[in-house]
Amino acid sequence: MSAGTEQRKLAAIMFTDMVGYSALAQRDEKLALELLEEHRSLLRSLFLRFNGREVKTIGDAFLVEFHSALEAAQCAIEIQRTLAKRNHDVAAARRIEVRIGIHIGDMVQRADGDVLGDGVNIASRIEPLAGANGICISVDVERQIRNTIEASLVKLGPKELKNIQVPMELFRIVLPWEKEQPLSVERRASERGGRRLRPLVVAVILLVMGLGWWALNKRGGWRGSQAGEFHIASLAVKPLDDFSGDTSQAYLSDGMTEALCSSLGNVSGLRVRGRASVMRYKNSAKSIKEMARELEVDAIVEGSIQRAGNQVLITVQLIEAGTDRHLWATNYKRDLSDFFKVQNEVAQA
């Protein structure tokens, strides 16, 4: 390739894609194509508004370049704001959810219109980590926008990205309405979680609720085994850790967190902080005491999911915030091939 057939430059690079598009296309191709066209029309109008140049479209995904990290971040926030408003009163099957990744890096524009470069590769690897309705950015972008955007940033820590040699520091943009409208955000999250959670995940939720009711009925309230009674009137579910080493399996841990928040919230007399409040603690190094103090709760539910092949190990435990004591813990190791059998086992227990 000669110098005359390519153009190398530094750019803010954005990748976007629709969440669940492939699955929807298999279920209802006509609806999928309808939503795809609406999605393209909405996003293209916003790219232009923030001086973004659409480099190419790959199915339900966009690759866009911006002159600055700030314009890219502002565009990403406006995309999620527009879609949140659009989805507010729309049936679940017709919602459009997008995840966005942004990085500043080297981009090579070839004469045939294709683009290459480390910047493009990294941006494409960051985007899946954003999750539904989320925005994930590299530390290079964070440095440029940390004091200039309306939203706050949460550090996700160093992440190993496929075909990228060095782990990268990544951040999540906490969208303003996640704080301003937690109930509506949680409701949408709960509905999404209920649709996609596998029966095994639901089984563990039943186990957690069963243990909670057992404790309430047996002891007349949540009480510790040490001297000095305490009563748990409120708790939060820390986002479950995913030890699978496969980012494509993140929906298991995120879905579990969503469903636990929703299900435990149905326990009478117990105040449970919603998913929008706790997701900022995903991969956080803060202690249980710090988390509980900031969330103003008496206890924290934490746990982990680890999947290897067709086996999954799920651990859940309840921790008293004031003393950091583990009140109870349980785990299940099962084969994923027979979900209903596992569900029945847990329900009987």
Side-chain angles (χ1 to χ4, degrees):
M1 182 183 296
S2 66
T5 60
E6 66 177 43
Q7 179 185 7
R8 185 180 296 271
K9 59 183 174 180
L10 188 68
I13 304 162
M14 173 193 289
F15 260 95
T16 79
D17 83 334
M18 288 178 65
V19 177
Y21 176 77
S22 297
L24 176 61
Q26 291 180 355
R27 295 195 309 269
D28 189 336
E29 184 177 13
K30 181 180 179 181
L31 176 60
L33 291 173
E34 178 186 334
L35 296 181
L36 177 62
E37 288 307 310
E38 182 183 354
H39 149 265
R40 287 177 175 173
S41 177
L42 284 172
L43 267 62
R44 280 172 172 153
S45 66
L46 294 174
F47 296 152
L48 292 173
R49 217 170 107 190
F50 292 90
N51 302 311
R53 183 180 77 87
E54 181 184 332
V55 178
K56 63 179 177 179
T57 305
I58 311 165
D60 63 314
F62 278 110
L63 168 57
V64 187
E65 70 163 309
F66 294 82
H67 297 301
S68 73
L70 178 59
E71 286 180 320
Q74 289 174 332
C75 181
I77 292 172
E78 191 57 36
I79 287 172
Q80 298 296 22
R81 190 197 312 276
T82 300
L83 291 177
K85 291 179 180 177
R86 183 252 178 220
N87 291 335
H88 182 68
D89 294 320
V90 174
R94 300 189 63 85
R95 288 175 183 162
I96 299 175
E97 296 177 334
V98 168
R99 53 193 173 199
I100 303 173
I102 308 173
H103 175 59
I104 295 179
D106 198 38
M107 186 172 78
V108 179
Q109 178 80 50
R110 296 184 5 166
D112 61 5
D114 201 4
V115 290
L116 306 167
D118 286 343
V120 176
N121 293 336
I122 292 173
S124 69
R125 302 303 183 194
I126 290 174
E127 174 261 309
L129 302 179
N133 307 312
I135 305 169
C136 186
I137 62 175
S138 67
V139 67
D140 303 284
V141 175
E142 186 270 343
R143 291 193 190 103
Q144 299 291 323
I145 69 171
R146 64 176 62 158
N147 297 318
T148 57
I149 63 171
E150 59 181 310
S152 58
L153 303 171
V154 173
K155 188 174 183 179
L156 300 180
K159 298 290 184 180
E160 293 188 1
L161 306 177
K162 186 177 180 181
N163 297 329
I164 306 298
Q165 293 183 348
V166 180
M168 290 202 65
E169 291 284 350
L170 301 180
F171 291 77
R172 182 175 70 89
I173 295 180
V174 181
L175 299 168
W177 55 92
E178 289 183 325
K179 295 180 180 179
E180 296 167 4
Q181 298 177 330
L183 290 178
S184 61
V185 172
E186 288 156 22
R187 189 174 299 115
R188 293 195 298 272
S190 174
E191 290 171 359
R192 291 196 305 274
R195 293 194 306 274
R196 72 170 180 257
L197 282 180
R198 298 179 178 183
L200 176 63
V201 177
V202 177
V204 177
I205 295 164
L206 292 174
L207 176 63
V208 173
M209 294 188 70
L211 286 168
W213 282 113
W214 173 84
L216 285 168
N217 292 332
K218 185 175 179 65
R219 302 176 182 177
W222 295 96
R223 302 188 184 278
S225 57
Q226 296 181 354
E229 294 183 347
F230 65 92
H231 178 79
I232 294 180
S234 59
L235 60 79
V237 180
K238 179 184 176 184
L240 272 67
D241 296 318
D242 182 2
F243 295 146
S244 301
D246 181 357
T247 56
S248 67
Q249 301 299 318
Y251 73 91
L252 282 174
S253 57
D254 289 347
M256 174 71 83
T257 303
E258 292 176 5
L260 282 173
C261 291
S262 177
S263 297
L264 290 173
N266 292 324
V267 177
S268 177
L270 184 65
R271 180 174 63 87
V272 180
R273 295 305 298 257
R275 177 185 181 275
S277 300
V278 301
M279 285 308 291
R280 68 179 185 269
Y281 294 102
K282 186 172 183 178
N283 300 317
S284 171
K286 289 189 176 182
S287 68
I288 293 296
K289 288 184 179 180
E290 289 176 309
M291 246 189 303
R293 183 171 61 251
E294 293 175 5
L295 292 169
E296 299 180 336
V297 294
D298 302 322
I300 298 287
V301 174
E302 69 169 5
S304 64
I305 296 181
Q306 184 171 0
R307 179 177 179 179
N310 207 37
Q311 295 286 319
V312 64
L313 175 64
I314 302 176
T315 300
V316 184
Q317 51 197 3
L318 177 69
I319 303 173
E320 181 196 358
T323 63
D324 220 13
R325 276 192 306 125
H326 288 61
L327 304 178
W328 58 258
T330 186
N331 64 73
Y332 266 78
K333 184 177 181 181
R334 290 292 188 271
D335 191 319
L336 283 171
S337 62
D338 195 343
F339 299 131
F340 291 104
K341 181 179 179 181
V342 176
Q343 183 176 12
N344 289 335
E345 283 183 19
V346 179
Q348 289 171 6

